Each structure stands twice: as structure tokens, then as C-alpha cells.
Coordinates of all heavy atoms in Angstrom, one line a residue:
M1 N -50.8 -14.1 103.7 CA -51.5 -15.3 104.1 C -51.4 -16.4 103.0 O -51.5 -16.1 101.8 CB -53.0 -15.0 104.3 CG -53.8 -16.1 104.8 SD -55.4 -15.5 105.4 CE -56.4 -16.8 105.0
R2 N -51.1 -17.6 103.4 CA -50.9 -18.7 102.5 C -52.2 -19.2 102.0 O -53.2 -19.3 102.7 CB -50.2 -19.9 103.2 CG -48.7 -19.7 103.3 CD -48.1 -20.9 103.9 NE -46.7 -20.6 104.3 CZ -45.7 -21.3 103.9 NH1 -45.9 -22.4 103.2 NH2 -44.5 -21.0 104.3
R3 N -52.2 -19.6 100.7 CA -53.3 -20.2 100.1 C -53.4 -21.6 100.6 O -52.4 -22.4 100.6 CB -53.2 -20.1 98.6 CG -54.5 -20.4 97.9 CD -54.3 -20.3 96.4 NE -53.6 -21.6 96.0 CZ -53.2 -21.9 94.8 NH1 -53.3 -21.0 93.8 NH2 -52.7 -23.0 94.5
R4 N -54.6 -22.1 101.0 CA -54.8 -23.5 101.4 C -54.9 -24.4 100.2 O -55.6 -24.0 99.2 CB -56.0 -23.6 102.3 CG -55.8 -22.9 103.6 CD -56.9 -23.2 104.6 NE -57.1 -24.6 104.8 CZ -56.5 -25.3 105.8 NH1 -55.7 -24.7 106.6 NH2 -56.7 -26.6 106.0
H5 N -54.3 -25.5 100.2 CA -54.3 -26.5 99.2 C -55.2 -27.7 99.6 O -55.0 -28.1 100.7 CB -52.9 -27.0 98.8 CG -52.0 -26.0 98.2 ND1 -52.0 -25.7 96.9 CD2 -51.1 -25.2 98.8 CE1 -51.2 -24.7 96.7 NE2 -50.6 -24.4 97.8
R6 N -56.0 -28.1 98.7 CA -56.8 -29.3 99.1 C -56.0 -30.5 98.7 O -55.7 -30.7 97.5 CB -58.1 -29.3 98.3 CG -59.1 -30.4 98.7 CD -60.4 -30.1 98.1 NE -61.3 -31.2 98.6 CZ -62.6 -31.1 98.5 NH1 -63.2 -30.1 97.9 NH2 -63.3 -32.1 99.0
T7 N -55.6 -31.3 99.7 CA -54.7 -32.5 99.4 C -55.5 -33.8 99.2 O -55.0 -34.8 98.8 CB -53.7 -32.6 100.6 OG1 -54.5 -32.8 101.8 CG2 -52.8 -31.4 100.6
T8 N -56.8 -33.8 99.6 CA -57.6 -35.0 99.5 C -59.0 -34.6 98.9 O -59.6 -33.7 99.3 CB -57.8 -35.7 100.9 OG1 -56.5 -35.9 101.4 CG2 -58.6 -37.0 100.7
V9 N -59.4 -35.4 97.9 CA -60.8 -35.2 97.4 C -61.5 -36.6 97.7 O -61.2 -37.6 97.1 CB -60.7 -35.0 95.9 CG1 -62.1 -34.9 95.3 CG2 -59.9 -33.7 95.6
P10 N -62.4 -36.5 98.7 CA -63.1 -37.8 99.1 C -64.0 -38.2 98.0 O -64.7 -37.4 97.3 CB -63.8 -37.4 100.4 CG -64.0 -35.9 100.3 CD -62.8 -35.4 99.5
D11 N -64.1 -39.5 97.9 CA -65.1 -40.1 97.0 C -66.5 -40.2 97.7 O -66.5 -40.9 98.8 CB -64.6 -41.5 96.6 CG -65.6 -42.2 95.6 OD1 -66.7 -41.7 95.4 OD2 -65.2 -43.3 95.1
P12 N -67.5 -39.5 97.3 CA -68.8 -39.5 98.0 C -69.4 -40.9 98.1 O -70.2 -41.0 99.0 CB -69.6 -38.5 97.3 CG -69.0 -38.4 95.9 CD -67.6 -38.7 96.1
V13 N -69.1 -41.8 97.3 CA -69.8 -43.1 97.3 C -68.9 -44.1 98.1 O -69.4 -45.3 98.3 CB -70.2 -43.6 95.9 CG1 -71.2 -42.7 95.3 CG2 -69.0 -43.8 95.0
A14 N -67.7 -43.8 98.4 CA -66.8 -44.7 99.1 C -67.3 -45.0 100.5 O -67.9 -44.1 101.2 CB -65.4 -44.2 99.1
A15 N -67.1 -46.2 101.0 CA -67.5 -46.5 102.4 C -66.6 -45.9 103.4 O -65.4 -45.8 103.1 CB -67.5 -48.0 102.6
K16 N -67.1 -45.4 104.5 CA -66.3 -44.7 105.5 C -65.6 -45.8 106.3 O -66.1 -46.9 106.6 CB -67.1 -43.9 106.4 CG -67.9 -42.8 105.7 CD -67.1 -41.6 105.6 CE -68.0 -40.4 105.1 NZ -67.3 -39.6 104.2
A17 N -64.4 -45.5 106.7 CA -63.6 -46.5 107.6 C -64.3 -46.5 109.0 O -64.6 -45.5 109.5 CB -62.2 -46.1 107.7
P18 N -64.5 -47.7 109.5 CA -65.1 -47.8 110.8 C -64.2 -47.3 112.0 O -63.0 -47.4 111.9 CB -65.4 -49.3 111.0 CG -64.4 -49.9 110.2 CD -64.1 -49.0 109.0
D19 N -64.8 -46.7 113.0 CA -64.0 -46.2 114.2 C -63.9 -47.4 115.2 O -64.7 -47.6 116.1 CB -64.7 -45.0 114.8 CG -64.0 -44.5 116.0 OD1 -62.9 -45.0 116.3 OD2 -64.5 -43.5 116.6
L20 N -62.9 -48.2 115.0 CA -62.8 -49.5 115.8 C -62.4 -49.2 117.2 O -62.7 -50.1 118.1 CB -61.7 -50.4 115.1 CG -62.0 -50.8 113.7 CD1 -60.9 -51.7 113.1 CD2 -63.3 -51.6 113.6
L21 N -61.8 -48.0 117.5 CA -61.5 -47.7 118.9 C -62.6 -46.9 119.6 O -62.5 -46.7 120.8 CB -60.2 -47.0 119.0 CG -58.9 -47.8 118.5 CD1 -57.7 -46.9 118.5 CD2 -58.7 -49.0 119.3
G22 N -63.5 -46.5 118.9 CA -64.6 -45.7 119.5 C -64.0 -44.4 120.1 O -64.5 -43.9 121.1
R23 N -63.0 -43.8 119.5 CA -62.3 -42.6 119.9 C -61.7 -42.7 121.3 O -61.4 -41.8 122.0 CB -63.3 -41.4 119.9 CG -64.1 -41.2 118.6 CD -63.2 -40.7 117.5 NE -62.5 -39.4 117.8 CZ -61.6 -38.9 117.1 NH1 -61.2 -39.6 115.9 NH2 -61.0 -37.8 117.4
D24 N -61.5 -44.0 121.8 CA -60.9 -44.2 123.1 C -59.4 -44.7 122.8 O -59.2 -45.8 122.4 CB -61.6 -45.3 123.9 CG -60.9 -45.6 125.2 OD1 -60.0 -44.9 125.6 OD2 -61.4 -46.6 125.9
F25 N -58.4 -43.8 123.0 CA -57.1 -44.1 122.6 C -56.2 -44.7 123.8 O -55.0 -44.7 123.7 CB -56.4 -42.9 122.0 CG -57.2 -42.3 120.9 CD1 -57.8 -41.1 120.9 CD2 -57.3 -43.1 119.7 CE1 -58.5 -40.6 119.8 CE2 -58.0 -42.5 118.6 CZ -58.6 -41.3 118.7
T26 N -56.9 -45.2 124.8 CA -56.1 -45.8 125.9 C -56.0 -47.3 125.6 O -56.8 -47.9 124.9 CB -56.9 -45.6 127.2 OG1 -58.2 -46.1 127.2 CG2 -56.9 -44.1 127.6
A27 N -54.9 -47.9 126.2 CA -54.7 -49.3 126.0 C -54.3 -50.0 127.3 O -53.6 -49.3 128.1 CB -53.6 -49.6 125.0
D28 N -54.8 -51.2 127.5 CA -54.5 -51.9 128.8 C -53.0 -52.4 128.8 O -52.4 -52.5 129.8 CB -55.4 -53.0 129.0 CG -56.8 -52.6 129.2 OD1 -57.1 -51.5 129.7 OD2 -57.8 -53.3 128.8
K29 N -52.6 -52.8 127.6 CA -51.2 -53.3 127.4 C -50.5 -52.6 126.3 O -51.2 -52.2 125.3 CB -51.3 -54.8 127.1 CG -51.9 -55.6 128.2 CD -51.9 -57.1 127.9 CE -52.9 -57.4 126.8 NZ -53.1 -58.8 126.5
P30 N -49.2 -52.6 126.3 CA -48.4 -52.0 125.1 C -48.7 -52.9 123.9 O -48.9 -54.1 123.9 CB -47.0 -52.1 125.5 CG -47.0 -52.2 127.0 CD -48.3 -52.9 127.4
N31 N -48.6 -52.2 122.7 CA -48.7 -52.9 121.4 C -50.0 -53.6 121.1 O -50.1 -54.6 120.4 CB -47.5 -53.9 121.2 CG -46.2 -53.2 121.2 OD1 -46.0 -52.2 120.6 ND2 -45.2 -53.8 121.9
T32 N -51.1 -53.0 121.7 CA -52.4 -53.6 121.4 C -53.3 -52.7 120.5 O -54.2 -53.2 119.9 CB -53.2 -53.9 122.7 OG1 -53.3 -52.7 123.5 CG2 -52.4 -55.0 123.5
E33 N -53.0 -51.4 120.5 CA -53.8 -50.4 119.7 C -52.8 -49.5 119.0 O -51.9 -48.9 119.7 CB -54.8 -49.7 120.5 CG -55.8 -50.6 121.2 CD -56.8 -49.9 122.0 OE1 -56.7 -48.7 122.2 OE2 -57.7 -50.6 122.7
Y34 N -53.0 -49.2 117.8 CA -52.2 -48.3 117.0 C -53.0 -47.3 116.3 O -54.1 -47.6 115.8 CB -51.3 -49.0 116.0 CG -50.2 -49.9 116.6 CD1 -50.5 -51.2 116.9 CD2 -49.0 -49.3 116.9 CE1 -49.5 -52.0 117.5 CE2 -48.0 -50.1 117.5 CZ -48.3 -51.5 117.7 OH -47.3 -52.2 118.3
V35 N -52.7 -46.0 116.4 CA -53.3 -45.0 115.6 C -52.3 -44.2 114.9 O -51.1 -44.2 115.2 CB -54.2 -44.1 116.6 CG1 -55.3 -44.8 117.2 CG2 -53.3 -43.4 117.6
G36 N -52.7 -43.4 113.9 CA -51.8 -42.6 113.1 C -52.5 -41.4 112.6 O -53.7 -41.2 112.6
D37 N -51.6 -40.4 112.2 CA -52.1 -39.2 111.6 C -51.1 -38.7 110.6 O -49.9 -38.9 110.8 CB -52.2 -38.1 112.7 CG -52.7 -36.8 112.2 OD1 -53.5 -36.8 111.2 OD2 -52.4 -35.8 112.8
I38 N -51.6 -38.3 109.5 CA -50.7 -37.8 108.4 C -50.7 -36.2 108.5 O -51.8 -35.6 108.5 CB -51.2 -38.2 107.0 CG1 -51.1 -39.8 107.0 CG2 -50.3 -37.6 105.9 CD1 -51.6 -40.3 105.7
T39 N -49.6 -35.6 108.6 CA -49.5 -34.2 108.7 C -48.8 -33.7 107.4 O -47.8 -34.2 106.9 CB -48.6 -33.8 109.9 OG1 -49.2 -34.3 111.0 CG2 -48.5 -32.3 110.0
Y40 N -49.4 -32.7 106.8 CA -48.9 -32.1 105.6 C -48.2 -30.8 106.0 O -48.8 -29.9 106.5 CB -50.0 -31.7 104.6 CG -50.9 -32.9 104.3 CD1 -52.0 -33.3 105.0 CD2 -50.5 -33.7 103.2 CE1 -52.8 -34.3 104.6 CE2 -51.3 -34.8 102.8 CZ -52.4 -35.1 103.5 OH -53.2 -36.1 103.2
L41 N -46.9 -30.7 105.8 CA -46.1 -29.5 106.1 C -45.7 -28.8 104.8 O -45.1 -29.4 103.9 CB -44.8 -29.9 106.8 CG -45.0 -30.7 108.1 CD1 -43.7 -31.2 108.7 CD2 -45.7 -29.8 109.1
P42 N -46.2 -27.5 104.7 CA -45.8 -26.8 103.5 C -44.3 -26.4 103.5 O -43.8 -26.1 104.5 CB -46.7 -25.5 103.6 CG -47.0 -25.4 105.0 CD -47.0 -26.8 105.6
I43 N -43.7 -26.6 102.3 CA -42.3 -26.2 102.1 C -42.2 -25.3 101.0 O -43.1 -25.0 100.3 CB -41.4 -27.5 101.9 CG1 -41.8 -28.3 100.7 CG2 -41.4 -28.4 103.2 CD1 -40.9 -29.5 100.4
D44 N -41.0 -24.8 100.7 CA -40.8 -23.8 99.6 C -41.2 -24.4 98.3 O -41.2 -25.6 98.0 CB -39.3 -23.5 99.5 CG -38.8 -22.6 100.7 OD1 -39.7 -21.9 101.2 OD2 -37.6 -22.5 100.9
G45 N -41.6 -23.5 97.4 CA -42.0 -23.9 96.1 C -43.5 -24.3 96.0 O -43.9 -24.9 95.0
G46 N -44.3 -24.2 97.1 CA -45.7 -24.6 97.0 C -45.8 -26.1 97.1 O -46.9 -26.6 96.9
K47 N -44.8 -26.8 97.6 CA -44.9 -28.3 97.7 C -45.2 -28.6 99.2 O -45.1 -27.8 100.1 CB -43.6 -28.9 97.2 CG -43.4 -28.7 95.8 CD -42.2 -29.4 95.2 CE -42.1 -29.1 93.7 NZ -41.3 -30.1 93.1
F48 N -45.4 -29.9 99.4 CA -45.7 -30.4 100.8 C -44.7 -31.5 101.1 O -44.3 -32.3 100.3 CB -47.1 -30.9 100.9 CG -48.1 -29.9 100.8 CD1 -48.7 -29.5 99.6 CD2 -48.5 -29.2 102.0 CE1 -49.6 -28.5 99.6 CE2 -49.5 -28.2 101.9 CZ -50.0 -27.9 100.7
C49 N -44.4 -31.6 102.4 CA -43.6 -32.7 103.0 C -44.7 -33.5 103.8 O -45.4 -32.9 104.6 CB -42.5 -32.2 103.8 SG -41.4 -33.4 104.5
Y50 N -44.7 -34.8 103.7 CA -45.8 -35.6 104.4 C -45.1 -36.4 105.5 O -44.1 -36.9 105.4 CB -46.4 -36.6 103.4 CG -47.0 -35.9 102.2 CD1 -46.4 -35.8 101.0 CD2 -48.3 -35.4 102.3 CE1 -47.0 -35.1 99.9 CE2 -48.9 -34.7 101.3 CZ -48.2 -34.6 100.1 OH -48.8 -34.0 99.0

């Protein structure tokens, strides 16, 4: 079993980013709403590919 690595340490006093889409990812027209996700893929040597 692989050991999990903590890649982010949140700042407890930092302001949270607002959810501007309200978790609704549908759009009436193309190019009006953009979302993203960062995926961490483990690779050899205990490193990550982002």
C-alpha cells in the first residue's frame, strides 16, 4: 500500500474561495463558465506529476 502524501497545507485564517457557480456546472452558452481540477499522479521515486 502506498503512503499518502499531503500536498496542500491549508492556512486556517485564509479566506475561503467563494462558490460562484453554486455547484451548478451547466451553462446556457459555450465559453461562459470554466471550472478546473488539479490531479496529483504519483510517479516513480515518490514524486508527483501535476
Side-chain angles (χ1 to χ4, degrees):
M1 186 165 144
R2 282 185 191 231
R3 194 179 81 183
R4 293 191 55 93
H5 294 274
R6 187 168 185 168
T7 57
T8 303
V9 179
D11 182 351
V13 297
K16 302 274 187 221
D19 181 1
L20 301 177
L21 296 178
R23 308 289 304 168
D24 178 9
F25 302 113
T26 58
D28 296 330
K29 299 182 287 187
N31 296 319
T32 57
E33 297 178 4
Y34 291 91
V35 297
D37 181 29
I38 297 174
T39 301
Y40 302 92
L41 301 172
I43 59 174
D44 285 338
K47 297 186 179 197
F48 289 92
C49 185
Y50 301 97

